[in-house]
Amino acid sequence: MKEAITVSVTGAAGQIGYALLFRIASGSMFGPDQPVNLRLIEIEPGMAALEGVIMELDDCAFPLLNSVHGTSDLEDGFKDTNWALLVGSVPRKAGMERNDLLGINGKIFTGQGQAIAKAAAPNVRTLVVGNPCNTNALIAMNNAAGVPNEQFFAMTRLDENRAKSQLAAKAGVHSSDVTNLCIWGNHSATQYPDFTNAKIKGQPLTSVITDQNWLEGEFISTVQQRGAAIIKARGASSAASAANAVVDTVSSLTTETPAGDWHSVAVCSPGAYGIREGLIASMPIRTNADGSWSVVERVPVDEFSQGKIDATINELLEEREAVKDLIPA
Ligand code: NAI
């Protein structure tokens, strides 16, 4: 048996947590021969519910679940962890401005970044899901002294999966036939699902779907507004599909990307594509055979795409400005 991987999850008693933990423990995230330790973090009011979730994890008797530990102490929760999945955050309430939300959540992520730096394993990789996830990741990264920036990510995979599913439905193919789909920028309504470089069964997508008006209009807005549409239909925000995207993101960051393809995840920009160095922005990423990642170079960016990328990157710059007090110089 391999040595167990330790995974910490914040907001573990929330909706996404409830859909995510059982996937991790059953082997969906790291494969059928990889044992895991779960360290589950909640704020005090969530601890009773977390106890219940832990009871259910116990009751599954998962062969790969080596240990489960619940805590509201950050350093205890991130102790020796290899993966910190930061799901918990405070939801936007009626009357709350975006900047209020940035400030409230920002404070959570300074503490979490510091605790990760202090307690986690040196190779810890941190994936932020809790919104606004790009800027929360920026704050955690800048407060995690000594942890390399390359080890911080924010999730845009749900957007990629949503985009692939919409394109597949339009083309009458399976979603797995759609490749090379990149989400650029922020996980927000400004994100840009780049159809111009996507492929269907290896062919340029735009030669299969020729309805340019649909691609530039309804397709983009459907992907951008999908979260709101799910809240309207379900009466609650997307949780199972978000948890599935967490599984996909970690899996894509731990296995070599198929030749010629890429996946979407927000990383610390190395300055590629003119995106300001140090911003946490989504772009086309390849995972290499040694487990490191690289930005895919020379993906064509036409004028239409550049306009969309500029808009979403500008929003990230504004968000960074709004939380600049939480980022140590
Ligand atoms: P939820 O409200 O059901 O659960 C959040 C949990 O986090 C609660 O149990 C709460 O007690 C806990 N929590 C709050 N502050 C915490 C802290 N400081 N430390 C530890 N735990 C804390 O919310 P849900 O549906 O699970 O969503 C979680 C987050 O994920 C939200 O911010 C949501 O907007 C975001 N999200 C992100 C997506 C993405 O694609 N990046 C997709 C869907 C949701």
Side-chain angles (χ1 to χ4, degrees), residues 10-17 41-43 45-46 74 87-91 108 112 128-133 155-159 162 187 237-239 242 245:
T10 69
Q15 294 199 85
I16 295 177
I41 304 172
E42 260 296 342
I43 46 176
L74 289 178
V87 179
S89 71
V90 175
I108 296 175
Q112 294 187 351
V128 181
V129 177
N131 280 320
C133 63
M155 190 169 91
T156 53
R157 182 57 168 269
L158 179 56
D159 309 302
R162 286 168 171 169
H187 168 70
S237 60
S238 30

PDB file of all heavy atoms in Angstrom, residues 10-17 41-43 45-46 74 87-91 108 112 128-133 155-159 162 187 237-239 242 245, ligand 1:
ATOM      1  N   THR A  10     -11.524  22.921   3.950  1.00  0.00           N
ATOM      2  CA  THR A  10     -12.244  23.893   4.791  1.00  0.00           C
ATOM      3  C   THR A  10     -13.698  23.955   4.332  1.00  0.00           C
ATOM      4  O   THR A  10     -14.013  23.625   3.184  1.00  0.00           O
ATOM      5  CB  THR A  10     -11.634  25.305   4.699  1.00  0.00           C
ATOM      6  OG1 THR A  10     -11.887  25.835   3.396  1.00  0.00           O
ATOM      7  CG2 THR A  10     -10.139  25.305   4.983  1.00  0.00           C
ATOM      8  N   GLY A  11     -14.573  24.380   5.217  1.00  0.00           N
ATOM      9  CA  GLY A  11     -16.003  24.416   4.871  1.00  0.00           C
ATOM     10  C   GLY A  11     -16.532  23.015   4.654  1.00  0.00           C
ATOM     11  O   GLY A  11     -17.443  22.782   3.855  1.00  0.00           O
ATOM     12  N   ALA A  12     -15.959  22.063   5.392  1.00  0.00           N
ATOM     13  CA  ALA A  12     -16.206  20.642   5.117  1.00  0.00           C
ATOM     14  C   ALA A  12     -17.645  20.218   5.381  1.00  0.00           C
ATOM     15  O   ALA A  12     -18.100  19.213   4.838  1.00  0.00           O
ATOM     16  CB  ALA A  12     -15.238  19.797   5.952  1.00  0.00           C
ATOM     17  N   ALA A  13     -18.371  20.982   6.205  1.00  0.00           N
ATOM     18  CA  ALA A  13     -19.768  20.607   6.482  1.00  0.00           C
ATOM     19  C   ALA A  13     -20.740  21.336   5.561  1.00  0.00           C
ATOM     20  O   ALA A  13     -21.952  21.193   5.699  1.00  0.00           O
ATOM     21  CB  ALA A  13     -20.116  20.894   7.943  1.00  0.00           C
ATOM     22  N   GLY A  14     -20.225  22.099   4.603  1.00  0.00           N
ATOM     23  CA  GLY A  14     -21.091  22.820   3.669  1.00  0.00           C
ATOM     24  C   GLY A  14     -21.555  21.904   2.547  1.00  0.00           C
ATOM     25  O   GLY A  14     -21.253  20.708   2.523  1.00  0.00           O
ATOM     26  N   GLN A  15     -22.307  22.502   1.613  1.00  0.00           N
ATOM     27  CA  GLN A  15     -22.877  21.733   0.486  1.00  0.00           C
ATOM     28  C   GLN A  15     -21.793  21.084  -0.373  1.00  0.00           C
ATOM     29  O   GLN A  15     -21.906  19.918  -0.731  1.00  0.00           O
ATOM     30  CB  GLN A  15     -23.560  22.650  -0.494  1.00  0.00           C
ATOM     31  CG  GLN A  15     -24.746  23.423  -0.206  1.00  0.00           C
ATOM     32  CD  GLN A  15     -25.313  23.780  -1.586  1.00  0.00           C
ATOM     33  OE1 GLN A  15     -26.041  22.965  -2.156  1.00  0.00           O
ATOM     34  NE2 GLN A  15     -24.938  24.927  -2.120  1.00  0.00           N
ATOM     35  N   ILE A  16     -20.788  21.868  -0.752  1.00  0.00           N
ATOM     36  CA  ILE A  16     -19.740  21.297  -1.617  1.00  0.00           C
ATOM     37  C   ILE A  16     -18.969  20.241  -0.836  1.00  0.00           C
ATOM     38  O   ILE A  16     -18.672  19.158  -1.348  1.00  0.00           O
ATOM     39  CB  ILE A  16     -18.790  22.394  -2.158  1.00  0.00           C
ATOM     40  CG1 ILE A  16     -19.562  23.339  -3.086  1.00  0.00           C
ATOM     41  CG2 ILE A  16     -17.607  21.786  -2.902  1.00  0.00           C
ATOM     42  CD1 ILE A  16     -18.751  24.503  -3.624  1.00  0.00           C
ATOM     43  N   GLY A  17     -18.678  20.559   0.428  1.00  0.00           N
ATOM     44  CA  GLY A  17     -17.973  19.585   1.267  1.00  0.00           C
ATOM     45  C   GLY A  17     -18.689  18.248   1.285  1.00  0.00           C
ATOM     46  O   GLY A  17     -18.068  17.185   1.132  1.00  0.00           O
ATOM     47  N   ILE A  41     -11.971  21.012   8.255  1.00  0.00           N
ATOM     48  CA  ILE A  41     -11.948  22.271   9.013  1.00  0.00           C
ATOM     49  C   ILE A  41     -13.293  22.975   8.879  1.00  0.00           C
ATOM     50  O   ILE A  41     -13.798  23.144   7.759  1.00  0.00           O
ATOM     51  CB  ILE A  41     -10.812  23.184   8.483  1.00  0.00           C
ATOM     52  CG1 ILE A  41      -9.465  22.438   8.545  1.00  0.00           C
ATOM     53  CG2 ILE A  41     -10.770  24.501   9.258  1.00  0.00           C
ATOM     54  CD1 ILE A  41      -8.313  23.167   7.877  1.00  0.00           C
ATOM     55  N   GLU A  42     -13.838  23.371   9.995  1.00  0.00           N
ATOM     56  CA  GLU A  42     -15.082  24.155  10.024  1.00  0.00           C
ATOM     57  C   GLU A  42     -14.941  25.251  11.068  1.00  0.00           C
ATOM     58  O   GLU A  42     -14.117  25.155  11.981  1.00  0.00           O
ATOM     59  CB  GLU A  42     -16.286  23.268  10.381  1.00  0.00           C
ATOM     60  CG  GLU A  42     -17.133  22.827   9.196  1.00  0.00           C
ATOM     61  CD  GLU A  42     -17.832  23.970   8.449  1.00  0.00           C
ATOM     62  OE1 GLU A  42     -17.955  25.067   9.003  1.00  0.00           O
ATOM     63  OE2 GLU A  42     -18.267  23.756   7.305  1.00  0.00           O
ATOM     64  N   ILE A  43     -15.753  26.294  10.933  1.00  0.00           N
ATOM     65  CA  ILE A  43     -15.856  27.272  12.014  1.00  0.00           C
ATOM     66  C   ILE A  43     -16.724  26.656  13.120  1.00  0.00           C
ATOM     67  O   ILE A  43     -17.465  25.701  12.857  1.00  0.00           O
ATOM     68  CB  ILE A  43     -16.445  28.613  11.497  1.00  0.00           C
ATOM     69  CG1 ILE A  43     -17.674  28.349  10.613  1.00  0.00           C
ATOM     70  CG2 ILE A  43     -15.403  29.391  10.721  1.00  0.00           C
ATOM     71  CD1 ILE A  43     -18.375  29.603  10.138  1.00  0.00           C
ATOM     72  N   PRO A  45     -19.610  27.206  14.581  1.00  0.00           N
ATOM     73  CA  PRO A  45     -21.029  26.882  14.362  1.00  0.00           C
ATOM     74  C   PRO A  45     -21.243  25.673  13.440  1.00  0.00           C
ATOM     75  O   PRO A  45     -22.325  25.083  13.435  1.00  0.00           O
ATOM     76  CB  PRO A  45     -21.601  28.148  13.704  1.00  0.00           C
ATOM     77  CG  PRO A  45     -20.596  29.219  13.956  1.00  0.00           C
ATOM     78  CD  PRO A  45     -19.272  28.570  14.144  1.00  0.00           C
ATOM     79  N   GLY A  46     -20.226  25.317  12.673  1.00  0.00           N
ATOM     80  CA  GLY A  46     -20.353  24.180  11.746  1.00  0.00           C
ATOM     81  C   GLY A  46     -19.874  22.868  12.329  1.00  0.00           C
ATOM     82  O   GLY A  46     -19.985  21.808  11.677  1.00  0.00           O
ATOM     83  N   LEU A  74      -7.007  26.108  12.687  1.00  0.00           N
ATOM     84  CA  LEU A  74      -6.404  26.076  11.344  1.00  0.00           C
ATOM     85  C   LEU A  74      -5.086  25.302  11.302  1.00  0.00           C
ATOM     86  O   LEU A  74      -4.853  24.508  10.395  1.00  0.00           O
ATOM     87  CB  LEU A  74      -6.187  27.502  10.832  1.00  0.00           C
ATOM     88  CG  LEU A  74      -7.446  28.290  10.462  1.00  0.00           C
ATOM     89  CD1 LEU A  74      -7.087  29.706  10.019  1.00  0.00           C
ATOM     90  CD2 LEU A  74      -8.242  27.584   9.378  1.00  0.00           C
ATOM     91  N   VAL A  87     -12.518  25.535   0.588  1.00  0.00           N
ATOM     92  CA  VAL A  87     -13.887  25.612   0.066  1.00  0.00           C
ATOM     93  C   VAL A  87     -14.724  26.607   0.869  1.00  0.00           C
ATOM     94  O   VAL A  87     -15.563  27.315   0.324  1.00  0.00           O
ATOM     95  CB  VAL A  87     -14.537  24.204   0.091  1.00  0.00           C
ATOM     96  CG1 VAL A  87     -15.973  24.271  -0.418  1.00  0.00           C
ATOM     97  CG2 VAL A  87     -13.718  23.210  -0.736  1.00  0.00           C
ATOM     98  N   GLY A  88     -14.506  26.659   2.168  1.00  0.00           N
ATOM     99  CA  GLY A  88     -15.340  27.481   3.050  1.00  0.00           C
ATOM    100  C   GLY A  88     -15.162  28.965   2.800  1.00  0.00           C
ATOM    101  O   GLY A  88     -14.048  29.440   2.569  1.00  0.00           O
ATOM    102  N   SER A  89     -16.269  29.670   2.806  1.00  0.00           N
ATOM    103  CA  SER A  89     -16.206  31.134   2.756  1.00  0.00           C
ATOM    104  C   SER A  89     -17.574  31.654   3.142  1.00  0.00           C
ATOM    105  O   SER A  89     -18.520  30.891   3.281  1.00  0.00           O
ATOM    106  CB  SER A  89     -15.780  31.635   1.378  1.00  0.00           C
ATOM    107  OG  SER A  89     -16.809  31.428   0.455  1.00  0.00           O
ATOM    108  N   VAL A  90     -17.652  32.960   3.317  1.00  0.00           N
ATOM    109  CA  VAL A  90     -18.926  33.555   3.737  1.00  0.00           C
ATOM    110  C   VAL A  90     -19.712  33.923   2.483  1.00  0.00           C
ATOM    111  O   VAL A  90     -19.190  34.630   1.618  1.00  0.00           O
ATOM    112  CB  VAL A  90     -18.666  34.811   4.598  1.00  0.00           C
ATOM    113  CG1 VAL A  90     -19.961  35.524   4.938  1.00  0.00           C
ATOM    114  CG2 VAL A  90     -17.917  34.410   5.860  1.00  0.00           C
ATOM    115  N   PRO A  91     -20.944  33.430   2.339  1.00  0.00           N
ATOM    116  CA  PRO A  91     -21.698  33.746   1.116  1.00  0.00           C
ATOM    117  C   PRO A  91     -22.144  35.204   1.081  1.00  0.00           C
ATOM    118  O   PRO A  91     -22.291  35.850   2.119  1.00  0.00           O
ATOM    119  CB  PRO A  91     -22.911  32.810   1.184  1.00  0.00           C
ATOM    120  CG  PRO A  91     -23.041  32.421   2.609  1.00  0.00           C
ATOM    121  CD  PRO A  91     -21.706  32.588   3.262  1.00  0.00           C
ATOM    122  N   ILE A 108     -10.390  35.988   6.040  1.00  0.00           N
ATOM    123  CA  ILE A 108     -10.320  34.537   6.298  1.00  0.00           C
ATOM    124  C   ILE A 108      -9.064  33.956   5.645  1.00  0.00           C
ATOM    125  O   ILE A 108      -8.363  33.132   6.213  1.00  0.00           O
ATOM    126  CB  ILE A 108     -11.576  33.837   5.710  1.00  0.00           C
ATOM    127  CG1 ILE A 108     -12.831  34.313   6.428  1.00  0.00           C
ATOM    128  CG2 ILE A 108     -11.423  32.331   5.748  1.00  0.00           C
ATOM    129  CD1 ILE A 108     -14.131  33.773   5.839  1.00  0.00           C
ATOM    130  N   GLN A 112      -5.686  31.712   6.770  1.00  0.00           N
ATOM    131  CA  GLN A 112      -5.488  30.364   6.225  1.00  0.00           C
ATOM    132  C   GLN A 112      -4.131  30.257   5.530  1.00  0.00           C
ATOM    133  O   GLN A 112      -3.445  29.238   5.659  1.00  0.00           O
ATOM    134  CB  GLN A 112      -6.648  30.000   5.296  1.00  0.00           C
ATOM    135  CG  GLN A 112      -7.962  29.881   6.108  1.00  0.00           C
ATOM    136  CD  GLN A 112      -9.146  29.363   5.330  1.00  0.00           C
ATOM    137  OE1 GLN A 112      -9.097  29.217   4.120  1.00  0.00           O
ATOM    138  NE2 GLN A 112     -10.230  29.101   6.031  1.00  0.00           N
ATOM    139  N   VAL A 128      -8.103  27.020  -4.146  1.00  0.00           N
ATOM    140  CA  VAL A 128      -9.169  27.819  -3.546  1.00  0.00           C
ATOM    141  C   VAL A 128     -10.437  27.703  -4.397  1.00  0.00           C
ATOM    142  O   VAL A 128     -10.402  27.911  -5.619  1.00  0.00           O
ATOM    143  CB  VAL A 128      -8.753  29.301  -3.402  1.00  0.00           C
ATOM    144  CG1 VAL A 128      -9.878  30.099  -2.760  1.00  0.00           C
ATOM    145  CG2 VAL A 128      -7.477  29.409  -2.573  1.00  0.00           C
ATOM    146  N   VAL A 129     -11.526  27.356  -3.727  1.00  0.00           N
ATOM    147  CA  VAL A 129     -12.840  27.209  -4.362  1.00  0.00           C
ATOM    148  C   VAL A 129     -13.777  28.312  -3.865  1.00  0.00           C
ATOM    149  O   VAL A 129     -14.572  28.861  -4.623  1.00  0.00           O
ATOM    150  CB  VAL A 129     -13.422  25.809  -4.040  1.00  0.00           C
ATOM    151  CG1 VAL A 129     -14.817  25.654  -4.627  1.00  0.00           C
ATOM    152  CG2 VAL A 129     -12.489  24.711  -4.547  1.00  0.00           C
ATOM    153  N   GLY A 130     -13.671  28.635  -2.573  1.00  0.00           N
ATOM    154  CA  GLY A 130     -14.550  29.639  -1.952  1.00  0.00           C
ATOM    155  C   GLY A 130     -14.409  30.983  -2.652  1.00  0.00           C
ATOM    156  O   GLY A 130     -13.291  31.444  -2.911  1.00  0.00           O
ATOM    157  N   ASN A 131     -15.528  31.591  -2.967  1.00  0.00           N
ATOM    158  CA  ASN A 131     -15.514  32.842  -3.743  1.00  0.00           C
ATOM    159  C   ASN A 131     -15.306  34.095  -2.905  1.00  0.00           C
ATOM    160  O   ASN A 131     -15.688  34.112  -1.751  1.00  0.00           O
ATOM    161  CB  ASN A 131     -16.838  32.949  -4.511  1.00  0.00           C
ATOM    162  CG  ASN A 131     -16.791  32.089  -5.756  1.00  0.00           C
ATOM    163  OD1 ASN A 131     -15.780  32.041  -6.431  1.00  0.00           O
ATOM    164  ND2 ASN A 131     -17.892  31.412  -6.036  1.00  0.00           N
ATOM    165  N   PRO A 132     -14.765  35.129  -3.534  1.00  0.00           N
ATOM    166  CA  PRO A 132     -14.218  35.220  -4.897  1.00  0.00           C
ATOM    167  C   PRO A 132     -12.868  34.486  -4.974  1.00  0.00           C
ATOM    168  O   PRO A 132     -11.865  34.960  -4.433  1.00  0.00           O
ATOM    169  CB  PRO A 132     -14.053  36.722  -5.108  1.00  0.00           C
ATOM    170  CG  PRO A 132     -13.923  37.287  -3.715  1.00  0.00           C
ATOM    171  CD  PRO A 132     -14.648  36.400  -2.788  1.00  0.00           C
ATOM    172  N   CYS A 133     -12.881  33.318  -5.648  1.00  0.00           N
ATOM    173  CA  CYS A 133     -11.773  32.369  -5.450  1.00  0.00           C
ATOM    174  C   CYS A 133     -10.421  32.874  -5.954  1.00  0.00           C
ATOM    175  O   CYS A 133      -9.395  32.600  -5.330  1.00  0.00           O
ATOM    176  CB  CYS A 133     -12.113  30.983  -5.988  1.00  0.00           C
ATOM    177  SG  CYS A 133     -12.417  30.882  -7.750  1.00  0.00           S
ATOM    178  N   MET A 155     -10.092  27.746  -8.652  1.00  0.00           N
ATOM    179  CA  MET A 155     -10.818  26.814  -9.524  1.00  0.00           C
ATOM    180  C   MET A 155     -11.650  27.487 -10.613  1.00  0.00           C
ATOM    181  O   MET A 155     -12.559  28.244 -10.316  1.00  0.00           O
ATOM    182  CB  MET A 155     -11.720  25.925  -8.676  1.00  0.00           C
ATOM    183  CG  MET A 155     -12.320  24.778  -9.495  1.00  0.00           C
ATOM    184  SD  MET A 155     -13.129  23.558  -8.482  1.00  0.00           S
ATOM    185  CE  MET A 155     -14.794  24.195  -8.451  1.00  0.00           C
ATOM    186  N   THR A 156     -11.337  27.158 -11.859  1.00  0.00           N
ATOM    187  CA  THR A 156     -12.193  27.552 -12.988  1.00  0.00           C
ATOM    188  C   THR A 156     -12.627  26.318 -13.796  1.00  0.00           C
ATOM    189  O   THR A 156     -13.167  26.453 -14.900  1.00  0.00           O
ATOM    190  CB  THR A 156     -11.469  28.543 -13.929  1.00  0.00           C
ATOM    191  OG1 THR A 156     -10.215  27.978 -14.315  1.00  0.00           O
ATOM    192  CG2 THR A 156     -11.239  29.884 -13.260  1.00  0.00           C
ATOM    193  N   ARG A 157     -12.394  25.142 -13.230  1.00  0.00           N
ATOM    194  CA  ARG A 157     -12.716  23.922 -13.975  1.00  0.00           C
ATOM    195  C   ARG A 157     -14.217  23.701 -14.153  1.00  0.00           C
ATOM    196  O   ARG A 157     -14.659  23.144 -15.173  1.00  0.00           O
ATOM    197  CB  ARG A 157     -12.080  22.723 -13.271  1.00  0.00           C
ATOM    198  CG  ARG A 157     -12.293  21.390 -13.964  1.00  0.00           C
ATOM    199  CD  ARG A 157     -11.753  21.423 -15.417  1.00  0.00           C
ATOM    200  NE  ARG A 157     -11.702  20.098 -15.970  1.00  0.00           N
ATOM    201  CZ  ARG A 157     -10.632  19.300 -15.901  1.00  0.00           C
ATOM    202  NH1 ARG A 157      -9.522  19.709 -15.317  1.00  0.00           N
ATOM    203  NH2 ARG A 157     -10.660  18.103 -16.427  1.00  0.00           N
ATOM    204  N   LEU A 158     -15.004  24.149 -13.190  1.00  0.00           N
ATOM    205  CA  LEU A 158     -16.451  24.005 -13.363  1.00  0.00           C
ATOM    206  C   LEU A 158     -16.888  24.790 -14.599  1.00  0.00           C
ATOM    207  O   LEU A 158     -17.727  24.336 -15.374  1.00  0.00           O
ATOM    208  CB  LEU A 158     -17.181  24.494 -12.101  1.00  0.00           C
ATOM    209  CG  LEU A 158     -18.711  24.436 -12.144  1.00  0.00           C
ATOM    210  CD1 LEU A 158     -19.224  23.042 -12.464  1.00  0.00           C
ATOM    211  CD2 LEU A 158     -19.289  24.916 -10.809  1.00  0.00           C
ATOM    212  N   ASP A 159     -16.293  25.952 -14.805  1.00  0.00           N
ATOM    213  CA  ASP A 159     -16.628  26.766 -15.978  1.00  0.00           C
ATOM    214  C   ASP A 159     -16.211  26.045 -17.262  1.00  0.00           C
ATOM    215  O   ASP A 159     -16.934  26.052 -18.252  1.00  0.00           O
ATOM    216  CB  ASP A 159     -15.939  28.133 -15.872  1.00  0.00           C
ATOM    217  CG  ASP A 159     -16.224  28.780 -14.528  1.00  0.00           C
ATOM    218  OD1 ASP A 159     -17.401  28.978 -14.219  1.00  0.00           O
ATOM    219  OD2 ASP A 159     -15.271  29.048 -13.772  1.00  0.00           O
ATOM    220  N   ARG A 162     -18.664  23.243 -17.842  1.00  0.00           N
ATOM    221  CA  ARG A 162     -19.944  23.785 -18.316  1.00  0.00           C
ATOM    222  C   ARG A 162     -19.843  24.175 -19.789  1.00  0.00           C
ATOM    223  O   ARG A 162     -20.749  23.909 -20.586  1.00  0.00           O
ATOM    224  CB  ARG A 162     -20.298  25.038 -17.501  1.00  0.00           C
ATOM    225  CG  ARG A 162     -20.774  24.731 -16.091  1.00  0.00           C
ATOM    226  CD  ARG A 162     -20.833  26.006 -15.250  1.00  0.00           C
ATOM    227  NE  ARG A 162     -21.488  25.777 -13.971  1.00  0.00           N
ATOM    228  CZ  ARG A 162     -21.502  26.644 -12.971  1.00  0.00           C
ATOM    229  NH1 ARG A 162     -20.868  27.799 -13.091  1.00  0.00           N
ATOM    230  NH2 ARG A 162     -22.133  26.365 -11.849  1.00  0.00           N
ATOM    231  N   HIS A 187     -12.908  33.682 -12.113  1.00  0.00           N
ATOM    232  CA  HIS A 187     -14.108  32.849 -11.952  1.00  0.00           C
ATOM    233  C   HIS A 187     -15.229  33.792 -11.516  1.00  0.00           C
ATOM    234  O   HIS A 187     -15.516  33.963 -10.331  1.00  0.00           O
ATOM    235  CB  HIS A 187     -13.884  31.753 -10.902  1.00  0.00           C
ATOM    236  CG  HIS A 187     -15.176  31.090 -10.510  1.00  0.00           C
ATOM    237  ND1 HIS A 187     -15.863  30.267 -11.353  1.00  0.00           N
ATOM    238  CD2 HIS A 187     -15.925  31.170  -9.387  1.00  0.00           C
ATOM    239  CE1 HIS A 187     -16.968  29.858 -10.760  1.00  0.00           C
ATOM    240  NE2 HIS A 187     -17.033  30.399  -9.571  1.00  0.00           N
ATOM    241  N   SER A 237     -27.152  26.800  -4.592  1.00  0.00           N
ATOM    242  CA  SER A 237     -26.086  26.937  -5.585  1.00  0.00           C
ATOM    243  C   SER A 237     -25.510  25.572  -5.956  1.00  0.00           C
ATOM    244  O   SER A 237     -25.691  24.582  -5.239  1.00  0.00           O
ATOM    245  CB  SER A 237     -24.993  27.864  -5.062  1.00  0.00           C
ATOM    246  OG  SER A 237     -24.456  27.346  -3.878  1.00  0.00           O
ATOM    247  N   SER A 238     -24.821  25.550  -7.088  1.00  0.00           N
ATOM    248  CA  SER A 238     -24.255  24.294  -7.586  1.00  0.00           C
ATOM    249  C   SER A 238     -23.274  23.737  -6.566  1.00  0.00           C
ATOM    250  O   SER A 238     -22.388  24.454  -6.107  1.00  0.00           O
ATOM    251  CB  SER A 238     -23.551  24.523  -8.926  1.00  0.00           C
ATOM    252  OG  SER A 238     -23.032  25.826  -9.005  1.00  0.00           O
ATOM    253  N   ALA A 239     -23.450  22.477  -6.220  1.00  0.00           N
ATOM    254  CA  ALA A 239     -22.565  21.875  -5.220  1.00  0.00           C
ATOM    255  C   ALA A 239     -21.951  20.583  -5.752  1.00  0.00           C
ATOM    256  O   ALA A 239     -20.730  20.412  -5.723  1.00  0.00           O
ATOM    257  CB  ALA A 239     -23.332  21.611  -3.937  1.00  0.00           C
ATOM    258  N   ALA A 242     -19.739  21.418  -8.608  1.00  0.00           N
ATOM    259  CA  ALA A 242     -18.542  22.119  -8.117  1.00  0.00           C
ATOM    260  C   ALA A 242     -17.580  21.111  -7.485  1.00  0.00           C
ATOM    261  O   ALA A 242     -16.375  21.142  -7.736  1.00  0.00           O
ATOM    262  CB  ALA A 242     -18.933  23.188  -7.105  1.00  0.00           C
ATOM    263  N   ALA A 245     -15.829  19.257 -10.088  1.00  0.00           N
ATOM    264  CA  ALA A 245     -14.765  20.051 -10.710  1.00  0.00           C
ATOM    265  C   ALA A 245     -13.518  20.105  -9.822  1.00  0.00           C
ATOM    266  O   ALA A 245     -12.397  20.191 -10.327  1.00  0.00           O
ATOM    267  CB  ALA A 245     -15.281  21.457 -11.010  1.00  0.00           C
TER     268      ALA A 245
HETATM  269  P1  NAI B   1     -22.001  26.454   2.063  1.00  0.00           P
HETATM  270  O1  NAI B   1     -22.470  27.741   2.636  1.00  0.00           O
HETATM  271  O2  NAI B   1     -22.953  25.324   1.916  1.00  0.00           O
HETATM  272  O3  NAI B   1     -20.779  25.923   2.921  1.00  0.00           O
HETATM  273  C1  NAI B   1     -19.723  26.730   3.314  1.00  0.00           C
HETATM  274  C2  NAI B   1     -19.173  26.155   4.584  1.00  0.00           C
HETATM  275  O4  NAI B   1     -18.000  26.870   4.901  1.00  0.00           O
HETATM  276  C3  NAI B   1     -20.123  26.279   5.773  1.00  0.00           C
HETATM  277  O5  NAI B   1     -20.276  25.007   6.372  1.00  0.00           O
HETATM  278  C4  NAI B   1     -19.413  27.273   6.693  1.00  0.00           C
HETATM  279  O6  NAI B   1     -19.620  26.972   8.056  1.00  0.00           O
HETATM  280  C5  NAI B   1     -17.966  27.061   6.296  1.00  0.00           C
HETATM  281  N1  NAI B   1     -17.072  28.185   6.553  1.00  0.00           N
HETATM  282  C6  NAI B   1     -17.323  29.514   6.500  1.00  0.00           C
HETATM  283  N2  NAI B   1     -16.247  30.218   6.840  1.00  0.00           N
HETATM  284  C7  NAI B   1     -15.270  29.334   7.130  1.00  0.00           C
HETATM  285  C8  NAI B   1     -13.946  29.450   7.586  1.00  0.00           C
HETATM  286  N3  NAI B   1     -13.402  30.649   7.827  1.00  0.00           N
HETATM  287  N4  NAI B   1     -13.234  28.320   7.776  1.00  0.00           N
HETATM  288  C9  NAI B   1     -13.785  27.124   7.583  1.00  0.00           C
HETATM  289  N5  NAI B   1     -15.054  26.940   7.173  1.00  0.00           N
HETATM  290  C10 NAI B   1     -15.792  28.036   6.946  1.00  0.00           C
HETATM  291  O7  NAI B   1     -21.346  26.830   0.661  1.00  0.00           O
HETATM  292  P2  NAI B   1     -20.969  25.862  -0.551  1.00  0.00           P
HETATM  293  O8  NAI B   1     -22.135  25.722  -1.454  1.00  0.00           O
HETATM  294  O9  NAI B   1     -20.320  24.636  -0.027  1.00  0.00           O
HETATM  295  O10 NAI B   1     -19.915  26.770  -1.331  1.00  0.00           O
HETATM  296  C11 NAI B   1     -18.669  27.092  -0.766  1.00  0.00           C
HETATM  297  C12 NAI B   1     -17.971  28.165  -1.582  1.00  0.00           C
HETATM  298  O11 NAI B   1     -17.667  27.686  -2.884  1.00  0.00           O
HETATM  299  C13 NAI B   1     -18.807  29.446  -1.800  1.00  0.00           C
HETATM  300  O12 NAI B   1     -17.947  30.562  -1.627  1.00  0.00           O
HETATM  301  C14 NAI B   1     -19.210  29.349  -3.246  1.00  0.00           C
HETATM  302  O13 NAI B   1     -19.444  30.631  -3.812  1.00  0.00           O
HETATM  303  C15 NAI B   1     -17.987  28.690  -3.830  1.00  0.00           C
HETATM  304  N6  NAI B   1     -18.177  28.067  -5.144  1.00  0.00           N
HETATM  305  C16 NAI B   1     -17.135  28.152  -6.025  1.00  0.00           C
HETATM  306  C17 NAI B   1     -17.211  27.578  -7.266  1.00  0.00           C
HETATM  307  C18 NAI B   1     -16.071  27.684  -8.232  1.00  0.00           C
HETATM  308  O14 NAI B   1     -16.236  27.238  -9.356  1.00  0.00           O
HETATM  309  N7  NAI B   1     -14.912  28.230  -7.888  1.00  0.00           N
HETATM  310  C19 NAI B   1     -18.428  26.854  -7.689  1.00  0.00           C
HETATM  311  C20 NAI B   1     -19.446  26.778  -6.679  1.00  0.00           C
HETATM  312  C21 NAI B   1     -19.315  27.373  -5.449  1.00  0.00           C
END
